[in-house]
Amino acid sequence: MRFPKWPGGLSLISGPVETASPKGPLSFFGAEIPSFRPVVTVKEGQKVAAGSILFHDRKRPWISAVSPAAGIVSRLDPGPRRSIAALEITPEGENAISFDLSTSDTRDGLIDLMVKAGLWASIKARPFGKVADPADVPEALFVTATEAFDGAPDPGPVIASYEDAFRRGLRALPVLGAGRTCLCHAEGLPAPDVPGITTRAFSGGLPGDHIHTLHPVAHGGMVWQIGWQEVIALGYLLETSRIWGQRIVSVSGPAATRPGLVAATPGARLHHIAADRLADAPLRLLAGSVETGVATPFLTPGIRQITALFHHEKPAHTHGLNRMIKSRRPALIPNFWDETASPSGILPIPLLRALAAGDAETARDLGVLGLVEEDIAALNHRLGGRDRNGVDYTVLLRQTLDELETIA
Amino acid sequence: MRHGFVRDNLPGLASLLAPALMLASQDSWFAARLLFCAVLVIGWQSAFALMRGQGVTAHGLVAAALVAIYVPASAPFWQLAIGISFGFVLGEAVFGGRGRNFVQPVVLTLAFLAFSFADQPWREGASLPIVAVLPALVLLVGAGQARLSVLIAFAIAVAVLASLISPELPAAFFQSGTMLLALLFLTADPVTSGSTTAGRILYGLLAGVLTALFSTGGPAFGALVFATLLASIFAPLLDHMVASVHTRLMRRRARRLRHV
């Protein structure tokens, strides 16, 4: 029996980091990037080194994916509408590309390096939460060293064990933006003292909250944000001139018998990463938290936690009395406890009603441009969200943002 | 607490248990009236569930029980049938069901009955001791349905205005279970009492001022019902004003923080 938690308390996973033994091929789709049209630069049977580009976007060449390990492209199937149905790499050997770091202290040199090393796609721009366009210059750059959802890895100890790489990455970042570069970390953690970096402690973990506090973009302006593991990856790249071929992922959730941290290779199967940590029962794995997770079979970029849930057969309420009793589009009934989960700086009920009504202009006035899906994920989860036959407000938010982006 | 029957419907049903049992022990026709109201409300909900897919919720039972509690014991059933049909169809169902309405259907029912059939004492309300209603206060506020912002703003407005025009009103108000129950379920209804905190405070003040004014010319319960009806019509406007001010403040704050 789990008692309701007092709001604010967050249970993060820390402890020793185990290395997941690589089993089977690594898989890449690019499906997690919105409106991605891949151009594949490898062929089936080709040998790739750690750091060689696998594919990039047709219109936005700065969105690229690299192979995290040396190996052979063992499978490459085209999917519908020029997408990738399957791209698998069977790890083999230790061959790694050594990147040229000579120009990495200039803006163009750093952008070029990050694009070539597949790191650029981890920089997201707000408003709209898409991959940043290198031609833009942000007003501020946010490094998020906090976590917002239960079961995520605790950034403090992991950053401490990669301290040098993290510092090196932080030192390189300020050339990207025109304004300040803010490192947002959890309260009570010693912030690394790096020249050019503004540090700020936060009790909340959402980058949206940090941006709202320091440099709001809901009514004009643009900022970029980058996660703490990508800063470690950048620092590792700048120190060793090779890519960091792993990510620290937490395995947690009700169906995880042994929650903990795993150093896993991007593209690995979630079930391989979480092997012998799971209960012996029907279960499903989400890449992300309970609130934000997506059911993808592989470790996609930007994922820092794997949530194991028990699989419950959903009774099919599709006929007879059940269909009559259930509302087809449940209305929003304001409740104090739900509103405690709303992100800061917005009026939650008017905003959700504007989203549900498709009223993009009212939503813009209410500050929707400062939000991305993860900001309202907790609120959406409380309101029934994706799982319990409710209205999925994160989907409505994305539709509204797309509409505003086309008229902007 | 997560949404669902336990948080959203059970507190309302449990809060009405004590008042309903109390009235049932005094009035032998109460159970029949409650059943009649419930059948009628659920019937209209089912009709709109079949036609428009609005669904049937247990909140219909809460609303039916409220009507049954507040109508006078002498009220004929045919008048109830007309009042409930008007209140629940035109007050709620035509807008898309609970959550999309802007007036409280029970309030609309009672106001309609009070206007239409002058031979019954609709504006008196039932007489309930405050002890029977205190569980409702705890349950509804604890479940996050009745907002303290509405309740406190209402109490302040009534206390201030009544001290000016009719000093005996606050005492009658805060000692009567009838008024507190109506305040919790009708005035502080989460759907019709505004959707922003500042909007709810303004709504509570407006409802309190109107109640104090109306009660100078009639029973306090009738004053509360008509004040709630009028205030809930203004609630969307108050929210719109609050949202405009919020947008302006946020723009100004953004300019200050971004140094532009």
Side-chain angles (χ1 to χ4, degrees), chain A residues 146-161:
Chain A
T146 56
E147 292 289 346
F149 297 102
D150 277 336
D154 191 353
V158 181
I159 289 177
S161 61

Side-chain angles (χ1 to χ4, degrees), chain A residues 5-93:
Chain A
K5 209 157 43 69
W6 191 252
L10 199 62
S11 59
L12 300 177
I13 307 285
S14 57
V17 180
E18 287 180 20
T19 305
S21 52
K23 291 178 217 161
L26 308 167
S27 302
F28 306 90
F29 290 141
E32 72 281 353
I33 304 165
S35 62
F36 185 65
R37 306 276 310 271
V39 177
V40 183
T41 50
V42 290
K43 288 196 221 45
E44 194 165 339
Q46 183 183 334
K47 277 199 168 188
V48 290
S52 31
I53 287 191
L54 299 176
F55 50 82
H56 61 83
D57 187 68
R58 182 186 308 270
K59 296 242 175 84
R60 299 164 291 175
W62 52 87
I63 305 179
S64 57
V66 300
S67 173
I72 293 178
V73 181
S74 52
R75 192 172 162 205
L76 176 58
D77 294 344
R81 305 182 67 189
R82 300 187 182 221
S83 66
I84 305 170
L87 171 62
E88 288 184 356
I89 291 173
T90 307
E92 186 187 284

